[in-house]
Short mmCIF file of all heavy atoms in Angstrom, two decimals:
data_model
loop_
_atom_site.label_atom_id
_atom_site.label_comp_id
_atom_site.label_asym_id
_atom_site.label_seq_id
_atom_site.Cartn_x
_atom_site.Cartn_y
_atom_site.Cartn_z
N LYS M 1 0.38 15.45 -10.40
CA LYS M 1 0.37 16.34 -9.22
C LYS M 1 -0.99 16.34 -8.49
O LYS M 1 -1.45 17.37 -8.00
CB LYS M 1 0.80 17.76 -9.59
CG LYS M 1 2.20 17.81 -10.23
CD LYS M 1 2.80 19.19 -10.21
CE LYS M 1 4.27 19.28 -10.59
NZ LYS M 1 4.95 18.14 -11.16
N MET M 2 -1.61 15.17 -8.45
CA MET M 2 -2.92 15.06 -7.80
C MET M 2 -2.81 14.61 -6.33
O MET M 2 -3.82 14.57 -5.64
CB MET M 2 -3.78 14.02 -8.53
CG MET M 2 -4.30 14.46 -9.87
SD MET M 2 -5.35 13.14 -10.51
CE MET M 2 -5.77 13.78 -12.12
N LEU M 3 -1.59 14.21 -5.90
CA LEU M 3 -1.44 13.69 -4.54
C LEU M 3 -0.50 14.55 -3.72
O LEU M 3 0.47 15.10 -4.23
CB LEU M 3 -0.90 12.24 -4.58
CG LEU M 3 -1.74 11.21 -5.35
CD1 LEU M 3 -1.08 9.84 -5.27
CD2 LEU M 3 -3.17 11.14 -4.83
N SER M 4 -0.81 14.64 -2.41
CA SER M 4 0.05 15.36 -1.47
C SER M 4 1.02 14.38 -0.82
O SER M 4 0.64 13.23 -0.55
CB SER M 4 -0.79 15.99 -0.36
OG SER M 4 -1.59 17.00 -0.86
N PRO M 5 2.24 14.82 -0.53
CA PRO M 5 3.17 13.93 0.19
C PRO M 5 2.60 13.58 1.56
O PRO M 5 1.88 14.37 2.18
CB PRO M 5 4.44 14.76 0.33
CG PRO M 5 4.31 15.89 -0.63
CD PRO M 5 2.84 16.13 -0.82
N ILE M 6 2.93 12.36 2.02
CA ILE M 6 2.47 11.89 3.32
C ILE M 6 3.56 12.14 4.36
O ILE M 6 4.74 11.89 4.10
CB ILE M 6 2.10 10.39 3.23
CG1 ILE M 6 0.77 10.26 2.46
CG2 ILE M 6 1.98 9.76 4.61
CD1 ILE M 6 0.40 8.87 2.07
N ASP M 7 3.16 12.65 5.52
CA ASP M 7 4.10 12.90 6.61
C ASP M 7 4.18 11.66 7.49
O ASP M 7 3.29 11.42 8.32
CB ASP M 7 3.62 14.12 7.41
CG ASP M 7 4.57 14.47 8.56
OD1 ASP M 7 5.55 13.72 8.77
OD2 ASP M 7 4.30 15.47 9.25
N HIS M 8 5.23 10.87 7.31
CA HIS M 8 5.35 9.61 8.05
C HIS M 8 5.45 9.81 9.56
O HIS M 8 5.11 8.92 10.33
CB HIS M 8 6.54 8.80 7.52
CG HIS M 8 6.27 8.15 6.20
ND1 HIS M 8 6.34 6.79 6.01
CD2 HIS M 8 5.88 8.68 5.01
CE1 HIS M 8 6.03 6.51 4.75
NE2 HIS M 8 5.75 7.64 4.12
N ALA M 9 5.90 11.00 9.97
CA ALA M 9 5.98 11.29 11.41
C ALA M 9 4.59 11.28 12.06
O ALA M 9 4.47 11.09 13.27
CB ALA M 9 6.65 12.65 11.63
N MET M 10 3.55 11.47 11.24
CA MET M 10 2.19 11.47 11.77
C MET M 10 1.54 10.08 11.72
O MET M 10 0.36 9.94 12.03
CB MET M 10 1.32 12.47 10.98
CG MET M 10 1.71 13.92 11.22
SD MET M 10 0.64 15.06 10.31
CE MET M 10 -0.89 14.90 11.23
N LEU M 11 2.32 9.06 11.33
CA LEU M 11 1.79 7.70 11.22
C LEU M 11 2.60 6.73 12.10
O LEU M 11 3.35 5.89 11.60
CB LEU M 11 1.83 7.23 9.75
CG LEU M 11 1.08 8.06 8.71
CD1 LEU M 11 1.27 7.46 7.33
CD2 LEU M 11 -0.40 8.19 9.05
N PRO M 12 2.42 6.81 13.42
CA PRO M 12 3.17 5.90 14.29
C PRO M 12 2.88 4.41 14.01
O PRO M 12 3.72 3.57 14.30
CB PRO M 12 2.73 6.29 15.70
CG PRO M 12 1.55 7.17 15.54
CD PRO M 12 1.63 7.79 14.19
N ASN M 13 1.73 4.10 13.40
CA ASN M 13 1.39 2.70 13.11
C ASN M 13 1.97 2.19 11.80
O ASN M 13 1.73 1.04 11.42
CB ASN M 13 -0.14 2.52 13.08
CG ASN M 13 -0.77 2.63 14.46
OD1 ASN M 13 -0.12 2.33 15.47
ND2 ASN M 13 -2.01 3.05 14.53
N PHE M 14 2.75 3.02 11.10
CA PHE M 14 3.34 2.59 9.82
C PHE M 14 4.14 1.30 9.99
O PHE M 14 4.16 0.45 9.11
CB PHE M 14 4.23 3.70 9.25
CG PHE M 14 4.81 3.40 7.88
CD1 PHE M 14 4.05 3.59 6.73
CD2 PHE M 14 6.11 2.90 7.75
CE1 PHE M 14 4.57 3.30 5.47
CE2 PHE M 14 6.63 2.60 6.49
CZ PHE M 14 5.86 2.81 5.35
N GLY M 15 4.80 1.16 11.14
CA GLY M 15 5.62 -0.03 11.41
C GLY M 15 4.82 -1.33 11.47
O GLY M 15 5.42 -2.42 11.44
N ASN M 16 3.48 -1.25 11.56
CA ASN M 16 2.66 -2.47 11.55
C ASN M 16 2.64 -3.13 10.17
O ASN M 16 2.26 -4.29 10.04
CB ASN M 16 1.21 -2.15 11.96
CG ASN M 16 1.08 -1.89 13.45
OD1 ASN M 16 1.93 -2.30 14.23
ND2 ASN M 16 0.01 -1.21 13.85
N LEU M 17 3.02 -2.36 9.15
CA LEU M 17 2.97 -2.90 7.79
C LEU M 17 4.03 -3.98 7.58
O LEU M 17 5.14 -3.90 8.10
CB LEU M 17 3.18 -1.78 6.77
CG LEU M 17 2.02 -0.81 6.61
CD1 LEU M 17 2.46 0.42 5.84
CD2 LEU M 17 0.84 -1.48 5.92
N ASP M 18 3.67 -4.97 6.77
CA ASP M 18 4.63 -5.97 6.32
C ASP M 18 5.80 -5.22 5.65
O ASP M 18 5.56 -4.34 4.81
CB ASP M 18 3.91 -6.87 5.30
CG ASP M 18 4.78 -8.00 4.77
OD1 ASP M 18 5.95 -7.73 4.45
OD2 ASP M 18 4.27 -9.12 4.67
N PRO M 19 7.05 -5.54 6.01
CA PRO M 19 8.20 -4.84 5.41
C PRO M 19 8.18 -4.84 3.88
O PRO M 19 8.63 -3.87 3.24
CB PRO M 19 9.41 -5.63 5.94
CG PRO M 19 8.93 -6.23 7.22
CD PRO M 19 7.47 -6.52 7.03
N ASN M 20 7.62 -5.91 3.26
CA ASN M 20 7.54 -5.97 1.79
C ASN M 20 6.68 -4.85 1.22
O ASN M 20 6.77 -4.55 0.03
CB ASN M 20 6.94 -7.31 1.33
CG ASN M 20 7.86 -8.47 1.63
OD1 ASN M 20 9.07 -8.31 1.59
ND2 ASN M 20 7.29 -9.62 1.95
N PHE M 21 5.80 -4.28 2.05
CA PHE M 21 4.88 -3.24 1.57
C PHE M 21 5.30 -1.85 2.02
O PHE M 21 4.61 -0.88 1.74
CB PHE M 21 3.46 -3.55 2.04
CG PHE M 21 2.82 -4.70 1.32
CD1 PHE M 21 2.85 -5.98 1.86
CD2 PHE M 21 2.20 -4.53 0.10
CE1 PHE M 21 2.27 -7.05 1.20
CE2 PHE M 21 1.62 -5.59 -0.58
CZ PHE M 21 1.66 -6.85 -0.02
N GLN M 22 6.41 -1.75 2.75
CA GLN M 22 6.82 -0.44 3.25
C GLN M 22 7.54 0.38 2.18
O GLN M 22 7.89 1.54 2.40
CB GLN M 22 7.69 -0.59 4.51
CG GLN M 22 6.86 -1.09 5.69
CD GLN M 22 7.64 -1.12 6.99
OE1 GLN M 22 8.67 -0.47 7.13
NE2 GLN M 22 7.15 -1.88 7.96
N ASP M 23 7.76 -0.23 1.03
CA ASP M 23 8.33 0.46 -0.12
C ASP M 23 7.59 -0.07 -1.34
O ASP M 23 6.95 -1.11 -1.28
CB ASP M 23 9.84 0.15 -0.21
CG ASP M 23 10.58 1.16 -1.08
OD1 ASP M 23 9.94 2.12 -1.58
OD2 ASP M 23 11.79 0.98 -1.28
N ALA M 24 7.66 0.65 -2.46
CA ALA M 24 6.97 0.18 -3.67
C ALA M 24 7.64 0.77 -4.89
O ALA M 24 8.02 1.94 -4.88
CB ALA M 24 5.50 0.61 -3.63
N ALA M 25 7.77 -0.04 -5.93
CA ALA M 25 8.38 0.44 -7.18
C ALA M 25 7.59 1.61 -7.75
O ALA M 25 8.17 2.54 -8.33
CB ALA M 25 8.44 -0.70 -8.19
N PHE M 26 6.25 1.60 -7.57
CA PHE M 26 5.41 2.66 -8.13
C PHE M 26 5.39 3.91 -7.24
O PHE M 26 4.90 4.95 -7.65
CB PHE M 26 3.98 2.17 -8.40
CG PHE M 26 3.24 1.70 -7.18
CD1 PHE M 26 2.53 2.59 -6.38
CD2 PHE M 26 3.24 0.35 -6.82
CE1 PHE M 26 1.85 2.17 -5.25
CE2 PHE M 26 2.56 -0.08 -5.69
CZ PHE M 26 1.87 0.83 -4.91
N ASP M 27 5.94 3.79 -6.02
CA ASP M 27 6.00 4.95 -5.11
C ASP M 27 7.17 4.76 -4.14
O ASP M 27 6.98 4.40 -2.98
CB ASP M 27 4.67 5.09 -4.35
CG ASP M 27 4.68 6.27 -3.37
OD1 ASP M 27 5.50 7.19 -3.56
OD2 ASP M 27 3.86 6.25 -2.43
N PRO M 28 8.39 5.00 -4.62
CA PRO M 28 9.57 4.77 -3.78
C PRO M 28 9.49 5.51 -2.45
O PRO M 28 9.14 6.69 -2.40
CB PRO M 28 10.73 5.30 -4.64
CG PRO M 28 10.22 5.20 -6.05
CD PRO M 28 8.76 5.48 -5.96
N GLY M 29 9.78 4.76 -1.37
CA GLY M 29 9.74 5.36 -0.04
C GLY M 29 8.35 5.64 0.48
O GLY M 29 8.17 6.23 1.54
N ARG M 30 7.34 5.20 -0.27
CA ARG M 30 5.94 5.42 0.12
C ARG M 30 5.69 6.89 0.47
O ARG M 30 5.11 7.22 1.50
CB ARG M 30 5.60 4.53 1.33
CG ARG M 30 5.45 3.06 0.98
CD ARG M 30 4.16 2.83 0.25
NE ARG M 30 3.95 1.43 -0.10
CZ ARG M 30 2.97 1.00 -0.88
NH1 ARG M 30 2.11 1.84 -1.41
NH2 ARG M 30 2.83 -0.26 -1.16
N GLN M 31 6.15 7.75 -0.43
CA GLN M 31 5.97 9.19 -0.20
C GLN M 31 4.52 9.64 -0.35
O GLN M 31 4.11 10.63 0.25
CB GLN M 31 6.83 9.98 -1.19
CG GLN M 31 8.32 9.85 -0.99
CD GLN M 31 9.04 10.68 -2.03
OE1 GLN M 31 9.06 11.91 -1.96
NE2 GLN M 31 9.60 10.02 -3.02
N TYR M 32 3.77 8.94 -1.21
CA TYR M 32 2.41 9.40 -1.54
C TYR M 32 1.32 8.36 -1.27
O TYR M 32 0.15 8.67 -1.47
CB TYR M 32 2.35 9.77 -3.03
CG TYR M 32 3.21 10.94 -3.40
CD1 TYR M 32 4.50 10.74 -3.91
CD2 TYR M 32 2.76 12.25 -3.25
CE1 TYR M 32 5.30 11.82 -4.27
CE2 TYR M 32 3.55 13.34 -3.59
CZ TYR M 32 4.82 13.12 -4.10
OH TYR M 32 5.61 14.18 -4.43
N SER M 33 1.69 7.16 -0.87
CA SER M 33 0.67 6.11 -0.75
C SER M 33 0.98 5.17 0.42
O SER M 33 2.14 4.85 0.66
CB SER M 33 0.59 5.31 -2.06
OG SER M 33 1.79 4.56 -2.24
N ILE M 34 -0.06 4.76 1.09
CA ILE M 34 0.08 3.80 2.19
C ILE M 34 -0.71 2.55 1.81
O ILE M 34 -1.90 2.64 1.50
CB ILE M 34 -0.48 4.40 3.51
CG1 ILE M 34 0.32 5.66 3.90
CG2 ILE M 34 -0.44 3.36 4.63
CD1 ILE M 34 1.78 5.45 4.22
N PRO M 35 -0.07 1.37 1.79
CA PRO M 35 -0.77 0.16 1.34
C PRO M 35 -1.96 -0.19 2.23
O PRO M 35 -1.89 -0.05 3.44
CB PRO M 35 0.30 -0.92 1.39
CG PRO M 35 1.31 -0.42 2.37
CD PRO M 35 1.29 1.07 2.25
N TYR M 36 -3.03 -0.61 1.60
CA TYR M 36 -4.26 -0.96 2.32
C TYR M 36 -4.53 -2.46 2.15
O TYR M 36 -4.20 -3.25 3.02
CB TYR M 36 -5.39 -0.08 1.79
CG TYR M 36 -6.76 -0.36 2.36
CD1 TYR M 36 -6.95 -0.47 3.73
CD2 TYR M 36 -7.88 -0.49 1.53
CE1 TYR M 36 -8.22 -0.72 4.27
CE2 TYR M 36 -9.13 -0.73 2.05
CZ TYR M 36 -9.30 -0.85 3.42
OH TYR M 36 -10.54 -1.10 3.93
N MET M 37 -5.05 -2.86 1.01
CA MET M 37 -5.29 -4.28 0.73
C MET M 37 -4.63 -4.64 -0.59
O MET M 37 -4.34 -3.77 -1.41
CB MET M 37 -6.79 -4.56 0.63
CG MET M 37 -7.57 -4.30 1.91
SD MET M 37 -7.28 -5.55 3.17
CE MET M 37 -7.91 -4.71 4.63
N TRP M 38 -4.39 -5.93 -0.80
CA TRP M 38 -3.80 -6.37 -2.06
C TRP M 38 -4.40 -7.72 -2.42
O TRP M 38 -5.11 -8.34 -1.64
CB TRP M 38 -2.27 -6.46 -1.94
CG TRP M 38 -1.77 -7.52 -1.00
CD1 TRP M 38 -1.75 -7.48 0.37
CD2 TRP M 38 -1.24 -8.81 -1.36
NE1 TRP M 38 -1.23 -8.63 0.88
CE2 TRP M 38 -0.90 -9.46 -0.16
CE3 TRP M 38 -1.00 -9.45 -2.57
CZ2 TRP M 38 -0.36 -10.75 -0.13
CZ3 TRP M 38 -0.45 -10.72 -2.55
CH2 TRP M 38 -0.13 -11.36 -1.34
N GLY M 39 -4.13 -8.15 -3.64
CA GLY M 39 -4.68 -9.45 -4.04
C GLY M 39 -4.48 -9.71 -5.51
O GLY M 39 -3.61 -9.14 -6.16
N THR M 40 -5.34 -10.58 -6.02
CA THR M 40 -5.21 -11.05 -7.39
C THR M 40 -6.53 -10.87 -8.11
O THR M 40 -7.56 -10.59 -7.50
CB THR M 40 -4.87 -12.56 -7.42
OG1 THR M 40 -5.84 -13.26 -6.63
CG2 THR M 40 -3.49 -12.83 -6.86
N ILE M 41 -6.45 -11.08 -9.42
CA ILE M 41 -7.67 -11.19 -10.20
C ILE M 41 -7.64 -12.60 -10.79
O ILE M 41 -6.58 -13.14 -11.08
CB ILE M 41 -7.69 -10.11 -11.28
CG1 ILE M 41 -9.12 -9.83 -11.71
CG2 ILE M 41 -6.86 -10.44 -12.47
CD1 ILE M 41 -9.22 -8.56 -12.49
N GLY M 42 -8.79 -13.22 -10.91
CA GLY M 42 -8.81 -14.59 -11.43
C GLY M 42 -10.21 -14.96 -11.89
O GLY M 42 -11.01 -14.09 -12.24
N ILE M 43 -10.49 -16.25 -11.86
CA ILE M 43 -11.77 -16.76 -12.35
C ILE M 43 -12.58 -17.32 -11.18
O ILE M 43 -12.13 -18.21 -10.46
CB ILE M 43 -11.55 -17.87 -13.41
CG1 ILE M 43 -10.78 -17.30 -14.62
CG2 ILE M 43 -12.89 -18.46 -13.85
CD1 ILE M 43 -10.39 -18.36 -15.65
N GLY M 44 -13.77 -16.74 -10.99
CA GLY M 44 -14.74 -17.33 -10.08
C GLY M 44 -15.61 -18.28 -10.89
O GLY M 44 -15.93 -17.99 -12.05
N TYR M 45 -15.97 -19.41 -10.30
CA TYR M 45 -16.74 -20.40 -11.08
C TYR M 45 -17.67 -21.21 -10.20
O TYR M 45 -17.44 -21.36 -9.00
CB TYR M 45 -15.78 -21.33 -11.85
CG TYR M 45 -14.85 -22.16 -10.98
CD1 TYR M 45 -15.15 -23.50 -10.67
CD2 TYR M 45 -13.68 -21.62 -10.46
CE1 TYR M 45 -14.31 -24.25 -9.88
CE2 TYR M 45 -12.84 -22.36 -9.66
CZ TYR M 45 -13.15 -23.68 -9.36
OH TYR M 45 -12.32 -24.43 -8.55
N ARG M 46 -18.74 -21.70 -10.84
CA ARG M 46 -19.69 -22.58 -10.16
C ARG M 46 -19.25 -24.02 -10.41
O ARG M 46 -19.29 -24.50 -11.53
CB ARG M 46 -21.11 -22.31 -10.65
CG ARG M 46 -22.17 -23.10 -9.90
CD ARG M 46 -23.56 -22.54 -10.05
NE ARG M 46 -23.79 -21.31 -9.29
CZ ARG M 46 -23.95 -21.24 -7.97
NH1 ARG M 46 -23.91 -22.34 -7.23
NH2 ARG M 46 -24.15 -20.08 -7.38
N LYS M 47 -18.82 -24.68 -9.34
CA LYS M 47 -18.18 -26.01 -9.46
C LYS M 47 -19.07 -27.02 -10.18
O LYS M 47 -18.60 -27.79 -11.01
CB LYS M 47 -17.80 -26.54 -8.07
CG LYS M 47 -16.79 -25.68 -7.32
CD LYS M 47 -16.66 -26.18 -5.87
CE LYS M 47 -15.83 -25.21 -5.04
NZ LYS M 47 -15.87 -25.59 -3.60
#
């Protein structure tokens, strides 16, 4: 109970998001979270 629900009516730019990110298994309907950046973890190396 650390997060407040998000009012999507106050986010007209929500539609700019990639449809794949407009929902999430960890937050169905994006009630509490809006995707920002994503990526991977891997190995950085000196060639």
Side-chain angles (χ1 to χ4, degrees):
K1 302 198 169 11
M2 288 183 184
L3 302 181
S4 292
I6 287 169
D7 181 356
H8 285 239
M10 291 181 71
L11 302 179
N13 289 332
F14 184 81
N16 286 339
L17 288 167
D18 182 316
N20 292 327
F21 287 96
Q22 290 186 19
D23 198 3
F26 61 86
D27 179 21
R30 287 286 181 188
Q31 292 180 74
Y32 295 95
S33 68
I34 298 297
Y36 177 48
M37 297 286 164
W38 67 283
T40 53
I41 204 166
I43 299 174
Y45 62 99
R46 185 161 286 285
K47 298 171 189 172

